[in-house]
Amino acid sequence: MRPTMKDVAAEAGVALKTVSRVVNNEPGVNATTADRVRAAIERLGYSRNESARVLRQGRTSSIGLVIEDVGDPFYSGVSRAVEEVAIRHGSLVLSGSSGEEPEREKELVLTFCARRVDGLIVVPAGGDHSYLRGELDAGTPAVFVDRPAGPGLEVDTVLCDNAGGARLAVEHLLAQGHRRVAFLGDSPAIFTAGERERGYREALGDLVDERLISMAQPTLEGMRTVVDRLLGMDDPPTALFTGNGRCTVTALRALEGRRIALVGFDDFELADLLRPAVTVVAQDPAGLGRVAAELLFRRIAGGRGAAERITQPVRLIARGSGEITP
């Protein structure tokens, strides 16, 4: 049997209410008595009944986090930052990966809500979030990260400057003298991929050639087919802009040493050790997670006001691959 507060009270020789006050960090207990209670807790191995505390306070001191893939370095950076903020607020993070499956996202979110989390941080996989309406109306705050919620849902959102970052990348290649710039992006159904394509098109303007745009899930076999087609054209591209870290790494493998200018969206591990080192547009995943978590805890604490939409800046890191001339 697990020790109870009554056991602690008997061990310390104090009233049950005194133990309760010490356990819940409430005032009204002198230091000597509190030390005696804590020593009894240590000897008995007592731990607080969280279920009972939740019933009393109506709070679970936990939040739910739904990301695309916990194994992806970008999302692990988001997750770590969320956890650091949660720890400062004495809260636990329950997390799960949607794998870009809208039904899995919905299942995770509703499971966390059933466990009465105090709030949600969601990297959405789908575009319909009407299933969240009841939870929001019941007072559960939510913050969407990296991508916005679907139509009709007014929630706080933290994004990076996707279109602006893409423009920055392509304008950098244009400044090196390139006029034939291909775009290798992720699935067009993904918000970030679409925004980066928009920035690419805005930067190129009349130079856009639809044959140089490929948007699909980045598999090595598929990328090899695309790269071989592009480089086999009569007027091949002289530069590539890749739409995320996975696209960049897959494209580098598909190139198999062939030299072409390249700028990737998202920094990635060892990018600076390749030859040439890879020029990237870097966003700040930890910054996204931190801002989202801080915003969520303000809402949990009672913060009111209209839903906020915060856009985080990006920066170009020139390392060599984006500075290759035509």
Side-chain angles (χ1 to χ4, degrees):
M1 295 288 292
R2 291 179 179 175
T4 66
M5 276 194 186
K6 288 183 179 180
D7 298 325
V8 174
E11 176 77 10
V14 299
L16 182 61
K17 182 61 178 175
T18 301
V19 177
S20 177
R21 284 174 174 161
V22 173
V23 168
N24 293 294
N25 296 314
E26 296 174 359
V29 182
N30 69 56
T32 301
T33 302
D35 287 343
R36 194 161 74 248
V37 171
R38 293 189 189 101
I41 288 172
E42 182 70 22
R43 285 194 300 273
L44 295 175
Y46 168 80
S47 60
R48 182 168 60 180
N49 186 330
E50 290 296 318
S51 296
R53 185 186 63 81
V54 168
L55 289 173
R56 289 195 307 271
Q57 298 182 359
R59 292 270 300 275
T60 63
S61 293
S62 64
I63 63 171
L65 170 65
V66 179
I67 55 180
E68 178 194 339
D69 180 2
V70 70
D72 185 303
F74 175 85
Y75 290 111
S76 63
V78 171
S79 179
R80 178 62 181 270
V82 169
E83 188 174 28
E84 288 174 352
V85 175
I87 289 171
R88 293 205 305 269
H89 287 83
S91 190
L92 177 71
V93 179
L94 308 178
S95 64
S97 302
S98 70
E100 289 291 4
E101 297 178 10
E103 282 304 310
R104 176 60 176 161
E105 171 210 312
K106 178 180 177 180
E107 177 186 359
L108 284 168
V109 168
L110 295 181
T111 296
F112 292 152
C113 289
R115 292 177 178 270
R116 298 294 184 265
V117 293
D118 299 328
L120 294 161
I121 296 177
V122 181
V123 176
D128 179 9
H129 301 98
S130 56
Y131 67 85
L132 251 180
R133 174 60 60 194
E135 295 296 334
L136 296 173
D137 291 344
T140 303
V143 178
F144 277 56
V145 180
D146 196 37
R147 310 162 189 174
L153 210 64
E154 295 298 320
V155 295
D156 296 314
T157 306
V158 183
L159 309 171
C160 89
D161 187 4
N162 291 288
R167 286 195 300 272
L168 187 64
V170 176
E171 287 168 357
H172 183 73
L173 291 169
L174 291 171
Q176 312 308 311
H178 297 281
R179 293 299 179 265
R180 302 279 293 165
V181 180
F183 175 53
L184 307 179
D186 210 327
S187 168
I190 299 173
F191 169 80
T192 51
E195 285 294 286
R196 292 166 193 176
E197 182 193 10
R198 179 168 69 85
Y200 162 87
R201 290 179 178 275
E202 289 173 353
L204 280 179
D206 293 339
L207 295 176
V208 171
D209 181 343
E210 299 296 335
R211 297 175 301 164
L212 302 185
I213 299 174
S214 175
M215 299 187 69
Q217 188 175 5
T219 65
L220 182 55
E221 182 179 354
M223 190 67 77
R224 279 176 174 153
T225 300
V226 171
V227 167
D228 288 346
R229 176 183 64 80
L230 290 172
L231 298 186
M233 296 172 64
D234 291 337
D235 49 353
T238 59
L240 303 178
F241 168 50
T242 48
N244 61 32
R246 280 177 292 188
C247 288
T248 304
V249 171
T250 308
L252 288 169
R253 287 177 172 149
L255 282 167
E256 297 177 334
R258 287 173 286 187
R259 188 174 175 84
I260 185 171
L262 183 148
V263 177
F265 204 114
D266 287 339
D267 204 358
F268 60 96
E269 192 173 5
L270 304 182
D272 57 331
L273 297 183
L274 298 174
R275 290 293 177 267
V278 181
T279 297
V280 298
V281 172
Q283 49 182 328
D284 180 9
L288 284 174
R290 183 173 57 254
V291 170
E294 290 171 346
L295 182 51
L296 180 66
F297 280 103
R298 287 202 299 272
R299 296 296 189 187
I300 291 172
R304 297 290 181 264
E308 296 186 37
R309 187 182 179 104
I310 300 172
T311 301
Q312 298 283 91
V314 297
R315 62 193 179 99
L316 181 85
I317 305 176
R319 293 192 177 116
S321 70
E323 292 67 59
I324 297 173
T325 56

